[in-house]
Amino acid sequence: MGYSMNTIYVKNARWISITKIIDGHDGILSVANEMGNIPFDIKRVYYIYNLINHRNVMRGKHAHKSLEQVMFCLNGQCSVTLDDGNRRQNIILDQPDKGIFLGTHLWHTMQEFNSNCILLVFASQLYNEDDYIRNYDEFLETVKVPRLISHTIK
Ligand code: T46
């Protein structure tokens, strides 16, 4: 635990640190505040659990048109792949007080879950399937990445 804070260089994503209170009691208390460390009005909270560590298990595989989210791993760990259509990076999510801000037009997948992994997500909007881009080519169209054209030079 604790090696996951590599620099995030893809667009529309960044680390979010939330308050961590270590006082006279046992344990640690962490606090997420709307419009504070969570940079939007929180309209919805969901969590993902009961995960299994299998190479075929992958969640996400979409981008959002207008939804913003912050995702924390409260227990265990997983890897998250972030793709802004131009650059792609893999990060490890393994600290309950260090989340990832998932902005709009960011293709993301979550995989390599520990069996005790619990993901907690704060979302800026209610669930709306129309906000999802679940096709990767369509996602690339929306971010309008100039395609690399390979030329054969004779
Ligand atoms: C995201 C990543 C990080 C609902 O009915 N209401 C909800 O609030 C959510 C989140 C999902 N659903 C339904 C839609 C699907 O029929 O639950 C089913 C599973 O959703 P999905 O396949 O989108 O789950 P993930 O883990 O791939 O993605 C989720 C969020 O949906 C998504 O917004 O960014 O976590």
Side-chain angles (χ1 to χ4, degrees):
M1 179 156 157
Y3 63 92
S4 61
M5 295 294 285
N6 48 327
T7 303
I8 293 181
Y9 50 79
V10 295
K11 279 196 272 181
N12 303 339
R14 62 180 185 274
W15 289 112
I16 297 271
S17 292
I18 61 166
T19 316
K20 190 171 166 182
I21 300 173
I22 306 170
D23 57 13
H25 304 294
D26 286 340
I28 298 171
L29 189 155
S30 282
V31 188
N33 288 304
E34 173 178 291
M35 295 308 292
N37 39 30
I38 305 299
F40 47 75
D41 290 336
I42 301 166
K43 288 277 169 30
R44 179 168 53 111
V45 176
Y46 60 90
Y47 41 99
I48 302 172
Y49 56 102
N50 212 19
L51 293 152
I52 57 164
N53 185 357
H54 188 279
R55 63 189 162 81
N56 293 334
V57 177
M58 179 180 280
R59 302 193 66 105
K61 292 184 277 184
H62 58 252
H64 282 286
K65 296 173 189 167
S66 61
L67 184 72
E68 295 183 325
Q69 305 187 96
V70 180
M71 180 164 63
F72 294 91
C73 181
L74 295 189
N75 196 47
Q77 74 170 60
C78 72
S79 82
V80 180
T81 304
L82 305 170
D83 179 341
D84 62 15
N86 190 27
R87 299 210 278 179
R88 181 178 294 174
Q89 91 174 100
N90 202 48
I91 60 170
I92 301 294
L93 207 54
D94 65 352
Q95 298 181 60
D97 61 323
K98 302 281 184 298
I100 322 173
F101 174 78
L102 300 169
T104 64
H105 299 96
L106 180 72
W107 189 266
H108 54 280
T109 67
M110 302 90 80
Q111 58 279 318
E112 295 169 4
F113 303 101
N114 276 8
S115 55
N116 58 352
C117 177
I118 301 174
L119 295 176
L120 174 72
V121 183
F122 296 107
S124 66
Q125 295 169 19
L126 298 180
Y127 173 72
N128 175 12
E129 186 58 37
D130 291 343
D131 193 73
Y132 287 70
I133 306 168
R134 293 194 185 268
N135 177 286
Y136 189 71
D137 288 336
E138 188 189 324
F139 161 69
L140 287 182
E141 284 300 318
T142 67
V143 292
K144 294 202 172 37
V145 176
R147 302 296 178 88
L148 287 176
I149 301 167
S150 55
H151 298 282
T152 306
I153 302 168
K154 294 186 179 167

